[in-house]
Amino acid sequence: MNSKKKIKKGKNIPAKAKRVFRGVIFDVWQWKQKMFDGSVEIFEKLRRPDTVNVIPVIGNKIMILKQRQPDWKKEKTSLAGGRIDEGEKPLAAAKRELLEETGYASKNWTLWKEQNPSEKMVWTIYTYIARSCYFKQPPHLDAGEKIKTKLISFDGFIMFSENPDFYEGEIKSSILRARFDKKFRDELYNLFFKK
Amino acid sequence: MNSKKKIKKGKNIPAKAKRVFRGVIFDVWQWKQKMFDGSVEIFEKLRRPDTVNVIPVIGNKIMILKQRQPDWKKEKTSLAGGRIDEGEKPLAAAKRELLEETGYASKNWTLWKEQNPSEKMVWTIYTYIARSCYFKQPPHLDAGEKIKTKLISFDGFIMFSENPDFYEGEIKSSILRARFDKKFRDELYNLFFKK
């Protein structure tokens, strides 16, 4: 706690806020907030490490993951991805996670989305498209991962928009729109496969 | 901590988990999780009070809120709603929040959605439709709220699907679909106005 300047708060936590809990994933910050009538209340926000998601494109297919974690009751469908390490750049984290989880690499990356899903939490999700992926080396999973990969078509991929077992809630709106809005579908298809 | 049985964990936090932090909004729970290789790591989840959202229908319009909170830099568009008090039923909370924030009441309620947006947080959002709302009494705002109400058409409402200042991310997929899928639009219109 001595090196207070080094603790990243994120832009949605006021400078005067104090970290009142430091967890494995989540930190809790509190501050005294002046209310509209002049009274004061304790306000609270969370901070967690930013994460990356990767949509790996291989030929005319998209690779998705069927994954289990030790505390999950059943398998979920997800993108490749994970937490950004301290000091790591988002794109470097995306490349690392793709290689660790699938064994694939790419030289053609685009940042598709940068989202802050929660008003009460400092947390950014970076979603990348990794085009023309090629197999580089066997995956290297950690002890908390069981992962199988599967190649699906673009039209199969956008059907995940309404699948409750698809883990990536933040991209569901976009792929849902691609199902019903032809112009948007074609633009997204081009973004994934042609850029 | 003596009355351990009384502390609600929620179904996604294992029975053996311990509450390691109790905040104003967020509690943090941790437990020792056996990994796939037999090693053990500390796993962590959050719990926060469940919340209600209300879509108030008045004549052929929907009421939305333009709201400011003391730590927000700008106004946001939202539904009526807020946190469920301890021991309160979701529908009772929905009725209370609608009356406090807008002064309106309804005798015709339907639970539209019950959502758990985050895998790492025990938190349910209940979204209600309140049909045939009528004005009952002046709103009663607390010190952390500045609220104006506005009546909009159904087609205006579903356009919020892609408005970044619309606070209710969890219903954006549904109202987005209503913009592009005529059959779904008509069903949703009937659910809001005709039931």
Side-chain angles (χ1 to χ4, degrees), chain A residues 6 12 27 64 77 82 105 110 120 125 168 180 186:
Chain A
K6 283 185 193 164
N12 285 321
D27 293 347
I64 48 124
T77 302
T110 293
K120 295 224 174 284
I125 307 175
E168 317 299 350
F180 295 100
D186 293 345

Side-chain angles (χ1 to χ4, degrees), chain A residues 30-68:
Chain A
Q30 293 182 342
W31 69 95
K32 287 182 186 165
Q33 177 68 50
K34 198 171 176 182
M35 307 300 275
F36 292 125
D37 66 355
S39 64
V40 170
E41 288 185 19
I42 303 294
F43 270 38
E44 190 172 80
K45 283 201 182 178
L46 302 163
R47 187 169 184 276
R48 58 157 294 165
D50 293 337
T51 50
V52 290
N53 284 328
V54 182
I55 299 171
V57 177
I58 302 175
N60 64 347
K61 302 283 189 184
I62 290 165
M63 181 184 275
I64 48 124
L65 272 52
K66 299 279 185 181
Q67 100 164 265
R68 280 194 60 210

Side-chain angles (χ1 to χ4, degrees), chain B residues 149-163:
Chain B
T149 60
K150 195 178 169 185
L151 293 177
I152 57 169
S153 68
F154 179 79
D155 288 315
F157 182 68
I158 64 179
M159 288 303 292
F160 283 119
S161 54
E162 285 163 297
N163 184 331

